[in-house]
Amino acid sequence: MKTVLLLLAVFHAVYFMSILQALCMSYVFYEAQRSGKLPNDQRVTWRGDSALNDGNDVGKDLTGGYYDGKAGDHVKFGFPMAFSATMLSWGLIDFEQGHSKAGELTHGRAAVRWATDYFLKAHTQTQELYGQVGDGGADHAYWGRPEDMTMNRPSYKITSGAPGSDLAGETAAALAAASIVFKSSDSSYSNTLLTHAKQLFDFADQHREMYHVSIPQAADFYRSWSGYGDELCWSALWLHRATGDNSYLDKAKGFWDEFELYNTPTEFGWDNKIAGAYLVPKHA
């Protein structure tokens, strides 16, 4: 019996350590995808500063954010990046104590902030959001490190005249969720994130279109096949959770009916957020 108990104790210890290692490596992965001027506490030391001229073509500072790590790409696609930031924030919100005990709370917050700092730069006007930096075709033709890139990296945006409700909505969700993450540790930053989230939600709702229509360069890579109704609902729910304002919950209910989002979901990811919409209100 003692032998069995000892083996169980060893098993649980190894299992627990493997979970801690997986959590740690998850955040290290994001550090390896960082674009821009890297911080002094960068743990992936074989990475260097890169894409320091992003946004120069439009007279903006669009440095920072994350590269698309799906296939070693160096394009910054705002739509899946925003979804990643929303999910990172969700994990930190619901499992903050676990992150703290694992010693990963600081790294988790840093991973979220690397994205949200970029989104704040990209949201250059109330109804203007840069949703992509880099050309997918040129990027796929380049096999090398981001530190050595020499190709042009054009910047693409959505505006009231060329909108993208899915892109603006998901970015609003990311900023709203992140505002909860930083509410206790940096209230000023949290308020800034929430202000931008509200503006982007209104932009997404008031000027409706799929973002790949306005940024056709994204169509072959991250087209939102599910449309933008799920992002409108998803972002309204995150704003409700961040603010407690029931008008956002009412908005979400309206989108739920308008876009007939009540069919049983079969997936959850950067494109389709319906399954997540089932869960966010339960934690609000």
Side-chain angles (χ1 to χ4, degrees), residues 53-255:
N53 295 319
D54 280 0
N56 280 6
D57 60 318
V58 291
K60 307 291 184 182
D61 176 11
L62 298 178
T63 57
Y66 290 106
Y67 295 121
D68 178 39
K70 179 178 66 174
D73 301 345
H74 305 131
V75 179
K76 293 191 296 201
F77 291 105
F79 188 48
M81 191 196 309
F83 174 71
S84 296
T86 307
M87 297 307 295
L88 286 172
S89 294
W90 197 356
L92 285 163
I93 294 165
D94 285 359
F95 302 102
E96 180 177 347
Q97 187 176 8
H99 276 81
S100 181
K101 289 182 177 179
E104 294 298 327
L105 184 57
T106 299
H107 293 138
R109 287 173 175 170
V112 171
R113 188 156 187 159
W114 197 263
T116 54
D117 281 351
Y118 171 73
F119 296 145
L120 294 181
K121 291 181 180 181
H123 188 206
T124 45
Q125 295 183 36
T126 302
Q127 296 185 346
E128 181 177 274
L129 174 68
Y130 281 87
Q132 182 176 328
V133 179
D135 177 81
D139 185 81
H140 282 193
Y142 169 72
W143 290 84
R145 307 187 312 151
E147 293 87 348
D148 300 328
M149 291 186 297
T150 58
M151 77 283 275
N152 291 329
R153 290 176 56 80
S155 307
Y156 305 101
K157 66 182 178 180
I158 55 173
T159 65
S160 58
S165 299
D166 33 18
L167 172 62
E170 184 57 57
T171 309
L175 294 175
S179 75
I180 304 173
V181 171
F182 294 103
K183 190 172 184 178
S184 60
S185 61
D186 191 339
S187 59
S188 177
Y189 186 64
S190 173
N191 290 336
T192 297
L193 295 175
L194 194 54
T195 295
H196 283 262
K198 292 176 180 178
Q199 292 174 353
L200 284 167
F201 173 77
D202 289 341
F203 177 25
D205 186 22
Q206 294 168 8
H207 301 277
R208 296 186 178 185
E209 181 58 275
M210 291 185 290
Y211 90 105
H212 71 266
V213 174
S214 300
I215 304 179
Q217 294 78 6
D220 290 337
F221 303 94
Y222 286 104
R223 177 195 298 249
S224 182
W225 296 97
S226 65
Y228 54 74
D230 53 324
E231 278 80 30
L232 288 176
C233 182
W234 174 247
S235 56
L237 289 169
W238 274 110
L239 276 162
H240 173 249
R241 184 165 182 180
T243 65
D245 185 344
N246 284 332
S247 67
Y248 288 113
L249 185 59
D250 292 338
K251 276 281 193 180
K253 292 176 180 178
F255 297 140

